[in-house]
Amino acid sequence: MAKTSKSILDEARTQVAEITAEQAREMMQDPQTAIIDVRESEEWRQGHLEQAISIPRGFLELRIEEKIPDRNRPIILHCAMGVRSLLAGRALREMGYEKVYSMAGGFNAWKNNGFPWVADRRFSEEDITRYSRHFLIPEVGEKGQAKLLDAKVLLVGVGALGSPAGLYLAAAGVGTIGLVDFDVVDLSNLQRQIIHTTDRVGTLKTESAQKSINAINPGVSVVRHDTRLSSENIMEIIAGYDVVINCSDNFPTRYLVNDACVFGKKPLVDGAIFQFEGNATVFDPARGGPCYRCLYPEPPPAGMAPSCAEAGVLGVLPGLIGSIEALEAIKLILGVGKPLIGAMVYFNTLADRDFVRMLRLRRDPKCPVCGDHPTQTQLIDYEAFCATAEFAANGSARTTHAAAASTQ
């Protein structure tokens, strides 16, 4: 005999306990109690319980084990009125979840009781379409996209590494992107600096990059810093940003940015390329990781690490490393996964088995900047520092420092 909707609901009530909004609120005082909102995304946007986890009814069976692996954990389900949550509860009981409750009257009953709720960022129709693929990812979703839209990321250098990093940050919806560069676009840049175009040769790189970023995403706010970074201006520039990405091409800037980020407690995403090799990492002593000076306390002497003009670089390589830099910045903003803090991903694109290697990096307790007893506590003249630094050259020093210097 075919079942009616009424008989299905009656059957569900024998399997799932219904509780009032008042009872649900009392149960939620226990941090072990999970509250699952099974409404659709459009309903969630209009308001929801702050502690709730959004899993639309159509995805519940697919996502519940990831969100709530413990089948003995108390789970309160709610929808708008209490019907979908009841049916959802029956499905969870069939999956072996023991302590499942449905909130009678749903979110409407919660609001009618005057209990607290929140409303997230209201996305425009264009935002909903533009970021629809992000909304589908549980680790991003609408909350994560709101974080990206509110985030501010600074790109130091808008050349080989800054090009893919800037484009992907813009496409992801990072709300504010700062650009630091004082150079102009040269024809020789275009082999690898994909953010620029032939018709912009002679244009400031920041201006060119702004056009490309806003062509991809007009909603991104681009802040141009058409200046050379120095000890006098860097702290003021980085102060307004959540994450700094180093895409510079010289050692004075690299050491300057590192030290400023240590002093300013800013996470620094770092990338470097050399011919067919590249690496990326995250320097963040505030989270227990090393800084650049833990690896290279002193810069090499002039000529030890050749520039792009001297050594060359495969044009596609910066696309790989710059994209990883953008990815690491996004992970830091979202607070998901494990950032490359204390780890460096290294690429040798001419190899086969060792094409990619993961290197472990450790904080140096004797580091002059972030160590237990730092000897340098303020910014210095980095041009002079790099010009006069002594460096014990050996067979590996050239390759190591060359690969540590990004090539523009």
Side-chain angles (χ1 to χ4, degrees):
M1 179 178 176
K3 295 182 179 180
T4 65
S5 58
K6 181 180 183 303
S7 64
I8 291 175
L9 287 172
D10 289 340
E11 182 180 308
R13 288 189 174 94
T14 66
Q15 300 174 326
V16 181
E18 288 188 285
I19 59 175
T20 65
E22 293 89 340
Q23 291 172 316
R25 190 182 190 193
E26 184 176 346
M27 287 181 63
M28 288 164 57
Q29 300 303 312
D30 182 354
Q32 286 300 309
T33 301
I35 179 86
I36 305 294
D37 188 333
V38 299
R39 297 176 301 158
E40 296 303 313
S41 299
E42 292 76 10
E43 298 172 283
W44 171 274
R45 293 187 193 105
Q46 295 172 12
H48 57 85
L49 279 64
E50 187 171 12
Q51 307 97 311
I53 300 171
S54 174
I55 309 180
R57 175 66 191 91
F59 295 95
L60 184 66
E61 290 87 342
L62 299 175
R63 296 180 179 173
I64 188 63
E65 292 175 303
E66 176 188 348
K67 296 293 186 181
I68 314 291
D70 183 0
R71 283 174 163 75
N72 289 314
R73 185 177 176 184
I75 298 176
I76 300 173
L77 297 162
H78 84 81
C79 56
M81 298 293 293
V83 176
R84 283 172 290 174
S85 59
L86 192 60
L87 297 175
R90 186 179 73 158
L92 293 191
R93 289 303 307 273
E94 291 175 355
M95 293 180 67
Y97 286 88
E98 299 293 334
K99 302 174 183 178
V100 181
Y101 305 88
S102 172
M103 188 165 68
F107 185 59
N108 288 344
W110 182 274
K111 290 195 298 182
N112 290 338
N113 275 277
F115 297 155
W117 54 279
V118 296
D120 292 336
R121 172 190 289 268
R122 298 300 297 270
F123 293 98
S124 67
E125 290 301 318
E126 181 179 333
D127 287 339
I128 292 171
T129 301
R130 180 183 291 274
Y131 306 119
S132 60
R133 301 305 186 269
H134 276 180
F135 291 165
L136 297 174
I137 303 174
E139 292 81 2
V140 183
E142 296 186 17
K143 285 186 176 180
Q145 190 60 55
K147 290 181 180 179
L148 291 171
L149 290 167
D150 290 336
K152 298 179 179 181
V153 176
L154 180 68
L155 287 175
V156 179
V158 197
L161 295 175
S163 291
L167 293 174
Y168 273 113
L169 291 174
V174 171
T176 301
I177 299 177
L179 307 175
V180 180
D181 210 312
F182 61 91
D183 201 3
V184 297
V185 179
D186 185 82
L187 186 60
S188 66
N189 300 150
L190 304 184
Q191 164 254 10
R192 62 204 175 280
Q193 300 183 17
I194 59 173
I195 205 166
H196 309 302
T197 56
T198 303
D199 61 318
R200 298 179 198 160
V201 169
T203 303
L204 281 171
K205 287 186 176 180
T206 54
E207 180 183 348
S208 172
Q210 181 177 21
K211 290 179 179 178
S212 296
I213 286 172
N214 287 143
I216 289 177
N217 193 339
V220 173
S221 174
V222 177
V223 180
R224 291 169 49 189
H225 303 277
D226 302 326
T227 184
R228 181 191 292 269
L229 282 182
S230 68
S231 301
E232 287 71 36
N233 63 16
I234 189 169
M235 297 306 296
E236 180 181 357
I237 289 175
I238 70 172
Y241 295 93
D242 306 306
V243 179
V244 178
I245 302 182
N246 180 31
C247 304
S248 63
D249 64 349
N250 63 85
F251 283 110
T253 301
R254 185 171 292 276
Y255 281 88
L256 170 65
V257 172
N258 173 80
D259 295 358
C261 286
V262 172
F263 298 150
K265 293 182 169 50
K266 302 285 184 180
L268 173 61
V269 181
D270 189 84
I273 52 177
F274 176 70
Q275 294 185 343
F276 294 92
E277 302 173 48
N279 61 64
T281 186
V282 176
F283 295 122
D284 195 354
R287 302 190 194 188
C291 78
Y292 185 73
R293 299 280 286 273
C294 291
L295 278 67
Y296 311 110
E298 304 288 338
M304 182 61 69
S307 67
C308 168
E310 297 168 321
V313 62
L314 186 67
V316 72
L317 180 63
L320 183 65
I321 303 302
S323 296
I324 293 175
E325 288 189 282
L327 174 62
E328 289 303 306
I330 289 171
K331 286 163 58 180
L332 289 168
I333 294 165
L334 295 177
V336 300
K338 295 182 178 180
L340 290 173
I341 299 174
M344 175 183 286
V345 59
Y346 168 80
F347 291 86
N348 179 359
T349 59
L350 294 184
D352 48 9
R353 295 182 181 180
D354 292 328
F355 183 88
V356 182
R357 285 189 290 166
M358 188 63 70
L359 309 176
R360 292 297 165 189
L361 310 179
R362 295 180 180 178
R363 175 179 171 270
D364 181 2
K366 297 181 180 179
C367 174
V369 174
C370 76
D372 296 340
H373 304 286
T375 57
Q376 181 183 323
T377 57
Q378 59 185 2
L379 300 177
I380 60 175
D381 182 343
Y382 291 86
E383 293 285 350
F385 171 65
C386 291
T388 60
E390 295 182 0
F391 183 79
N394 55 51
S396 62
R398 182 181 178 89
T399 300
T400 302
H401 262 84
S406 66
T407 306
Q408 296 291 301

